[in-house]
Amino acid sequence: MKTSIQKLRKFFRLEAEREYDNKAVMGGLSNILSAWEMEAREDQLSEQIIQAVISRLRDYHRLSEDSREVVLKGVWQRVSRETGVESETQKQPPVTKQPKSQPEPEPGQPKNPEPAAAPEPEKSEPVPQAPTPKKDPPKPILDLDFQAPITTIKGIGEKKQEALKRMGIQSINDLLYTFPRRHDDYSKLKPIGSLWYGEFVTVIGSVKSVSSRAVRSGKMKIVEALISDKSGAIRATWFNQPWIENQLIKAKQVVLSGLVEQYLGRLVMNSPEWEPLSKKQLHTNRIVPVYPLTKDVTQKWLRGVIHDIVEEYSPHLPDPLPENIRANHSLSNLPDAIREIHFPDSDQSLQKAKQRLAFEELFLMQMGVLSQKKQWESRSGTAFESSEDWLLPQLESLPFKLTNAQKKALDQVRADLSSGTPMNRLLQGDVGSGKTVVAALAALIVIHGGAQAAFLAPTSILAEQHFQSLKKLLTQGSGDLAEIQIALLIGATPENEKEDIRKQLADGEIKLIIGTHALLQDPVKFQNLQLAIIDEQHRFGVEQRGILRQKGNNPHLLVMTATPIPRSLALTIYGDLELSVIDEMPPGRIPVETHLLNPSEIERAFGLVRGQVDKGNQAFIVYPLVEESDKVDEKSAVDEFNRLQEEVFPNYKLGLLHGQLNPAEKEEVMIRFRDKEIQIMVSTSIVEVGLDIPDATVMLVEGAHRFGLAQLHQFRGRVGRSDQKSYCILVPGTIEEIENQRLQAMVDTNDGFVLAEKDLEIRGPGQFLGTRQSGYTELKLASITDLDLIERARTEASTIFKQDPDLSQENHHQLAKAVKEFWTQKNTGDIS
């Protein structure tokens, strides 16, 4: 034991012998601090321990004897635990006030040990008592049922069961994994006379008086208590909790934790956490967990229930992480992590618990993703060859040359198609980078091999646009595909045409079908579907992709997104997919110039629109709402369309596009805009995806703060699709929103990957996931942006997967069970 710790132990033992009278050292314990600090630094104790000792002993002389006892106990427990001398000191307990024949307790242990008083309940609710030490050995793990219903817990009846069920808590295991939404640090204990306004502190004192009074014509009752120690007194107030009055009278000595406030010049505490003084504080004088709640569940009651369950069950939790992985990354074991995430001994141990549990979540996710990838790769698929002699004429017939990035992506797709294993590839590229051409060539390769391809788009407008562009691209080559072999199937397609298309698909006469959700309906059958292409894949759920795949026999799958995927997401959410990136724009594209305007400067933006339209160009004006709303104070497309047409642009042709129009109306408006019958399109966010208007040079977004970065970048991608200079003008709703970091990021860069990282950081993964595998947004502790932890989890998962892909080895049984439970809970069984 280091010298500084030995001395501390000696001083604490003497204090305990003297019944905490602060005379173990001449001048009091605070007098040892200067010399002890120097010795502690020579012994290389951590700065956290040194500061903890100093902060607790500096005001020791101002505390009551009971408070001093609590302080010394807490200090010694922390020092012995964090320096590794805990087990040694337990074998040789220091002297306290005890008969000589009895063993000596730890420094700071109570002078007259009594059973711990249970925290008083709120209202008349029974609060589970902190468990007393048991003489019996711990229950064997087989005796504990972690899936036992919560009704097996004493004090949980039908009413509490229903309330907890609303929170997703139905079993013992659910309680263990109901993590606090935050922790409040009440570990800072101070004498009442030393309190300052604005501090979060804990005080220990005697209840000198308790009173209650009614206010607001009897509708509310206020309970006030005067709490004092030797250094001073403070008034504590509780609102509308009348039952506290009797509880305080019985308590005599209490511990209060909360914010020190001021009223009429005096320091007060309003609605502090409190509990009777006992050996073990659960709600005060520590880092306290704060849980999410629902009706009929109070914070103090739930904290007590979870504490009892954690104490009894967590030591027996089986750890799914292999020991070597825990050692490689300095991770604590699962029982310790669960205990510390709920009731941490220090901030350091809390962070260590979070790190361990976050790593486990990401690791289990990676194991599932790798398993999905293995399942896909284990299937056999039809091989489609594409020789250079055949491909070269197809490329030469295109109206443009492929960029190097497009050529690389095409080579990767060709390799997949010829491998004999179904392709499972994500093709990502910024707006206008040319993903559709790569997908079209993939379809042509499959069609050349005698099979069929399907192209699924999220909207009718986008489906028709692809239909027109694919006809131009694919019918100019060596004659593999004729116009009559390409069809469009959307909701607005007349029923008699739908019937003809379905028949020709089943007979194999149609080789390439472009469509919306109409393609997924049961009557649609293929003769030999071998390639499914999905555009804007984040708009389709796993079930929809699964339905399309099942219309063929292990078809190849190519999914596309114009939202650049940050690396952390590529490793996790899309970790089962092979990734192709088109990170190069076609030559001749001029970057869109982006400006952020004050709402009062909107006339400048209108002037720019007029100037561009007068040159023969077109413009978009986007609004966040379709119609005016009482709940949201933002401009709407319908109202602003009328005002713009009558007052702002009376001499121009305006069109209106929003989601409440029926498909035929939307199509008519878009055709008129495409054919330049409409000069200015007033729209909602429906223009986010896939409208190709080469002459559009202005994108004006009002209420821009209402949109995420991904959406704003998509809006901007609707312009600048030719060799003309284009502009994106962002106008937030208020002048304060000018400082919005999303909007400023749009001005700073046109790089979609930079914006994607920023959007992920600001708004979380939901923006990128859509309905792909929704469980990923339900990670409890892991952050999908923590690239370092993700990469470490991925590396370890890959290593285990290479050694034991089925997790059949004996030392992986718990891991296999945990992976299964994790993915069952996430409901993410699709392997695309």
Side-chain angles (χ1 to χ4, degrees), residues 1 6 134 171 189 193 266 327 349 422 460 499 624-625 648 675 704 715 733 795:
M1 190 185 299
Q6 285 180 329
K134 298 176 181 177
S171 68
L189 185 66
R266 296 182 178 180
S349 64
S460 297
E499 196 170 326
L625 302 179
V648 183
D675 296 342
F715 292 154
T795 299

Side-chain angles (χ1 to χ4, degrees), residues 304-356:
V305 169
I306 290 179
H307 178 270
D308 287 359
I309 294 302
V310 168
E311 289 287 309
E312 182 176 359
Y313 282 81
S314 68
H316 308 290
L317 277 168
D319 198 328
L321 284 187
E323 191 173 342
N324 66 309
I325 291 180
R326 298 203 304 270
N328 290 346
H329 302 276
S330 301
L331 300 172
S332 54
N333 61 44
L334 185 58
D336 288 346
I338 290 293
R339 187 181 68 249
E340 293 295 324
I341 195 70
H342 287 287
F343 300 98
D345 291 326
S346 65
D347 184 64
Q348 185 180 11
S349 64
L350 172 60
Q351 297 310 318
K352 193 171 182 181
K354 286 182 177 179
Q355 182 85 348
R356 149 65 208 237

Side-chain angles (χ1 to χ4, degrees), residues 152-278:
T152 59
I153 301 171
K154 186 178 179 181
I156 296 185
E158 188 176 330
K159 186 177 181 181
K160 281 289 189 285
Q161 181 190 12
E162 284 302 311
L164 292 173
K165 187 177 180 180
R166 290 197 299 271
M167 297 173 63
I169 302 173
Q170 300 188 65
S171 68
I172 299 292
N173 199 64
D174 292 338
L175 276 172
L176 290 172
Y177 282 86
T178 298
F179 298 140
R181 56 187 173 89
R182 73 170 196 272
H183 291 80
D184 290 339
D185 189 353
Y186 294 143
S187 59
K188 188 178 180 183
L189 185 66
K190 290 191 72 173
I192 293 174
S194 301
L195 298 181
W196 288 88
Y197 171 73
E199 289 183 304
F200 270 98
V201 295
T202 293
V203 298
I204 297 176
S206 301
V207 181
K208 292 302 180 184
S209 65
V210 185
S211 62
S212 62
R213 56 191 171 89
V215 294
R216 297 182 185 175
S217 303
K219 292 181 180 179
M220 178 184 286
K221 193 171 185 180
I222 293 179
V223 175
E224 293 180 323
L226 187 65
I227 311 297
S228 70
D229 62 10
K230 286 189 175 182
S231 68
I234 190 169
R235 189 166 296 279
T237 304
W238 290 267
F239 302 92
N240 230 18
Q241 300 177 64
W243 58 88
I244 288 181
E245 183 176 7
N246 288 333
Q247 295 174 356
L248 285 168
I249 292 171
K250 295 176 185 176
K252 297 182 181 178
Q253 284 195 306
V254 295
V255 187
L256 302 180
S257 290
L259 176 66
V260 179
E261 301 181 66
Q262 205 167 27
Y263 178 70
L264 298 178
R266 296 182 178 180
L267 297 182
V268 298
M269 296 179 84
N270 290 320
S271 300
E273 290 275 6
W274 79 278
E275 59 189 328
L277 179 64
S278 64

Side-chain angles (χ1 to χ4, degrees), residues 562-575:
T563 303
I565 309 299
R567 177 164 169 75
S568 59
L569 287 186
L571 287 171
T572 51
I573 311 319
Y574 302 102

Side-chain angles (χ1 to χ4, degrees), residues 788-807:
D788 174 65
L789 202 62
I790 289 168
E791 288 183 328
R792 286 197 278 145
R794 176 82 171 185
T795 299
E796 293 292 358
S798 298
T799 301
I800 283 192
F801 209 81
K802 288 174 185 174
Q803 298 168 352
D804 184 19
D806 298 321
L807 299 179

